[in-house]
Amino acid sequence: MSYFAYGVRGLLTAVFLIAVAGKVGRAGAFSAFADSLRPLAAVSGSVVRAAALAVVAAECAVCLALILPFASATLAGLPAATALLTVFTVGIARSVGRGTTVRCRCFGRSAAPLGRAHVVRNGLLAAVAGAGVVATVVSGPAGGTDPGMVAVAWCAGAVAGGLVTVAEDLVSLFRPVAPSVTE
């Protein structure tokens, strides 16, 4: 497997692990995530909790497949991540196109509504996951055998994945601050 593929695995594992933790890691987080699916109109009201549970289960399954040190797990996890991110991208794009205002619960709590930036982020992540599939298939299990380089690639990917999950917050640090009205 290529070092690039190891990096992609680290990136996607971090992204999906943080997403799962944000959705189930605190009291009320799962309910807030499930409620955020209602305005997306992707599922009917009675199936929302089941759909939310399916999303979290799929994210957990992707994490597990990407962490396991087996080529077969990677060859299942990377396409699954690609498909899941593509579904997220299309669902958010449809919501944005309809003008629906929904808070982003991708990584837990956020005040920001879903928008074009979320479509771009998920689209890029899906493209990276797809590139990871190609890199894995092309290089096969023989590539990338130096354990130190594997660790560096994996960790670099995980750091990049962590940054992806807080990119919205990082960008907000550089936005102009509105003047306060004190009088």
Side-chain angles (χ1 to χ4, degrees), residues 35-124:
D35 290 342
S36 75
L37 297 180
R38 290 182 201 285
L40 295 176
V43 292
S44 65
S46 62
V47 199
V48 168
R49 283 189 74 77
L53 186 58
V55 167
V56 172
E59 290 174 336
C60 284
V62 166
C63 282
L64 181 61
L66 295 177
I67 289 171
L68 291 173
F70 308 113
S72 58
T74 299
L75 288 172
L78 287 173
T82 305
L84 196 54
L85 288 161
T86 301
V87 168
F88 294 164
T89 303
V90 170
I92 294 169
R94 287 184 61 212
S95 171
V96 170
R98 285 192 310 262
T100 307
T101 303
V102 180
R103 280 191 173 168
C104 175
R105 298 289 183 188
C106 307
F107 304 112
R109 50 186 145 173
S110 174
L114 291 172
R116 281 188 244 141
H118 298 94
V119 174
V120 170
R121 177 197 65 208
N122 286 346
L124 289 173

Side-chain angles (χ1 to χ4, degrees), residues 132-140:
V133 172
V134 171
T136 301
V137 170
V138 169
S139 70

